[in-house]
Amino acid sequence: ERSNLAGVQHILLVLSGKGGVGKSTISTELALSLRQSGKKVGILDVDLCGPSIPRMFRVQNSDVHQCDSGWVPVFVDQDKSISLMSIGFLLEKPDDAVVWRGPKKNALIKQFVGDVAWGDLDFLIVDTPPGTSDEHISTVEALRPYKPLGAILVTTPQAVSVGDVRRELTFCKKTGLQVLGIVENMSGFVCPHCSECTNIFSKGGGEELAKHAGVPFLGCVPLDPQLSQSLEEGRDFIQEFPKSSAFPALAHITQQILDSTSQRSS
């Protein structure tokens, strides 16, 4: 029987041992940037307690429908170039809390992996919750038969955040998940008036960690009011703000991922 993931070329997990570092931001911008490169992308949001992906694409009021092979993901545009699946689409009210024990969460993750009719995709990006426990183990185990490409780890520059992400590196090692690289998010604030960069949260923690762990450093994404605004309003930052300071950083990260997939294919 043909699996629902049979048409998916590459699966990427976005991980971090810590909350609030911008995993959903990186997942969203990565999807938009890959679409800009002509790729078809899906995002699987397995953050069951804080599903923010639907809001970031301004499709939070959409419903999920059934088809013969399972759930049909929500498409964000008429070209169907980006498709999403999230528990946010399954809640009766947007303010409903998911008060579940582990087994119920794990069952839904298995269902998300097996029962969503993604069709043909170049990339499936899996946006994960903080931590290294239940949901992460379930996600990696459910995806293992489909040989995921690997994980992108997101940190902010502070030592506290870097320490938590170091644990995520250990998780990847223990579960046999290849680390494609580390992204340092919120890396300095670039003033929109004078373009000077102020390192609000110190600097260089992500790069130092990558060097220490022997994994690629994919780049720094600065704090950018235009990026925050586009995520709040569900707009396409990659198309609308090509002159912003965060744009070249995101484009560089995307290019490195495309390079690593083409090396793997050749």
Side-chain angles (χ1 to χ4, degrees), residues 152-157 162 179-185 187 203-221 252-253 256:
I152 293 166
L153 271 51
V154 183
T155 185
T156 51
V162 170
V179 177
L180 296 177
I182 293 175
V183 172
E184 185 177 291
N185 194 25
S187 181
K203 187 170 170 57
E207 191 165 6
E208 199 57 43
L209 176 61
K211 205 179 291 177
H212 177 75
V215 299
F217 180 64
L218 298 176
C220 299
V221 180
H252 178 62
I253 291 163
Q256 288 180 88

Side-chain angles (χ1 to χ4, degrees), residues 167-188:
R167 295 183 190 102
E168 199 73 52
L169 279 163
T170 312
F171 170 83
C172 291
K173 204 175 284 179
K174 283 188 171 174
T175 54
L177 196 58
Q178 186 195 347
V179 177
L180 296 177
I182 293 175
V183 172
E184 185 177 291
N185 194 25
M186 306 184 205
S187 181

Side-chain angles (χ1 to χ4, degrees), residues 112-252:
F112 271 173
V113 169
D115 293 353
V116 179
W118 293 107
D120 291 329
L121 291 179
D122 296 300
F123 287 90
L124 177 64
I125 298 167
V126 183
D127 182 32
T128 64
T132 55
S133 56
D134 260 11
E135 290 101 314
H136 302 79
I137 297 164
S138 295
T139 304
V140 172
E141 287 304 315
L143 289 170
R144 200 182 295 287
Y146 309 102
K147 297 185 173 52
L149 179 66
I152 293 166
L153 271 51
V154 183
T155 185
T156 51
Q158 310 97 304
V160 170
S161 172
V162 170
D164 288 343
V165 177
R166 191 175 277 119
R167 295 183 190 102
E168 199 73 52
L169 279 163
T170 312
F171 170 83
C172 291
K173 204 175 284 179
K174 283 188 171 174
T175 54
L177 196 58
Q178 186 195 347
V179 177
L180 296 177
I182 293 175
V183 172
E184 185 177 291
N185 194 25
M186 306 184 205
S187 181
F189 170 71
V190 180
C191 173
H193 306 296
C194 69
S195 301
E196 189 177 323
C197 183
T198 308
N199 296 318
I200 299 172
F201 302 127
S202 76
K203 187 170 170 57
E207 191 165 6
E208 199 57 43
L209 176 61
K211 205 179 291 177
H212 177 75
V215 299
F217 180 64
L218 298 176
C220 299
V221 180
L223 278 166
D224 186 330
Q226 291 175 318
L227 178 54
S228 310
Q229 186 191 348
S230 71
L231 289 161
E232 286 285 313
E233 296 170 4
R235 289 156 65 195
D236 185 341
F237 172 81
I238 299 293
Q239 269 196 324
E240 291 187 31
F241 300 107
K243 290 189 169 65
S244 119
S245 54
F247 180 88
L250 292 162
H252 178 62

